[in-house]
Amino acid sequence: MAAEAVSIVRRELILGGQKSGKSRRGEQIAAAWLARSPSHRAVLVATARALDEEMLARVTRHREDRAARLPAMETVEEPLALAQAIRENAGPRTLVLVDCLTLWLTNLMVPFGAPRTSMAADRAVAELLQAIGESPGPLVLVGNEIGLGVIPLGREVRAFVDALGLLNQQVAAACERVTLMAAGLPLTLKDAP
């Protein structure tokens, strides 16, 4: 899709399953933003943590691929203080792309049973929602939709799926547009003027 053909709203949530095209869609929006004016900036806030060799290789590959596709986009890695990262990087001429909310919530809640699991996660979500509402420039948030499958075994995993579903609902309510990605194709779920 050509960068010029992508419409940009102030706040957009992009949901989808693994390898659905949601990150690529966020990058397309960032590319369209950058193409509109030489004074525009785009900042990716990456929330992943490389805690094992496979994840380190994945993060490295994503960095390299993103740099090749969108060299003008800056990257900030922030696995926990997401609201702060949005506030520090947002501006009227800066698009902030957050990838991804699911990994951020995982970072808050895992290891399961940690003291920060519920109250700190609830506080962090409230801070995130406030930062979304206050963002002066375009904000694109990417997250996984994992509640369409079977009910997971295990109390902690069910609690995480429930928490992610609630996070997605709250962020969707705060955004003008919500897009569901499937097989690389966008389906608009919400598009408020």
Side-chain angles (χ1 to χ4, degrees):
M1 175 175 286
E4 300 78 31
V6 175
S7 71
I8 299 168
V9 295
R10 184 156 173 234
R11 294 176 291 252
E12 180 167 354
L13 173 62
I14 302 171
L15 295 171
Q18 189 169 336
K19 293 297 180 193
S20 62
K22 59 193 179 299
S23 295
R24 186 65 58 97
R25 179 71 176 178
E27 290 176 8
Q28 289 173 338
I29 294 169
W33 175 255
L34 290 169
R36 288 190 179 176
S37 171
S39 68
H40 283 181
R41 293 177 56 234
V43 177
L44 168 73
V45 179
T47 62
R49 285 182 165 170
L51 299 176
D52 59 38
E53 292 299 317
E54 184 274 334
M55 192 61 173
L56 178 59
R58 183 180 287 252
V59 167
T60 301
R61 186 179 69 248
H62 281 253
R63 280 183 195 140
E64 293 168 354
D65 291 349
R66 211 174 25 251
R69 283 191 305 269
L70 204 53
M73 185 165 60
E74 303 164 41
T75 299
V76 172
E77 296 186 10
E78 181 47 65
L80 292 168
L82 183 54
Q84 179 180 338
I86 291 170
R87 286 188 180 102
E88 288 174 357
N89 291 284
R93 305 203 58 78
T94 301
L95 179 141
V96 175
L97 170 59
V98 174
D99 198 354
C100 88
L101 294 175
T102 309
L103 291 174
W104 172 71
L105 186 62
T106 300
N107 295 336
L108 292 175
M109 294 183 70
V110 174
F112 293 121
R116 63 178 187 256
T117 296
S118 75
M119 283 183 32
D122 291 346
R123 190 169 38 256
V125 168
E127 290 172 8
L128 171 64
L129 293 170
Q130 184 174 2
I132 291 169
E134 294 170 351
S135 181
L139 179 60
V140 179
L141 304 121
V142 174
N144 291 76
E145 175 51 70
I146 64 172
L148 298 173
V150 298
I151 297 172
L153 296 176
R155 178 176 55 91
E156 291 90 359
V157 179
R158 284 191 301 274
F160 177 78
V161 171
D162 288 349
L164 181 60
L166 291 173
L167 173 65
N168 287 345
Q169 288 182 47
Q170 292 171 308
V171 173
C175 290
E176 288 82 12
R177 181 181 297 143
V178 179
T179 302
L180 178 66
M181 296 298 297
L185 301 172
L187 174 64
T188 303
L189 302 179
K190 174 184 175 184
D191 203 2

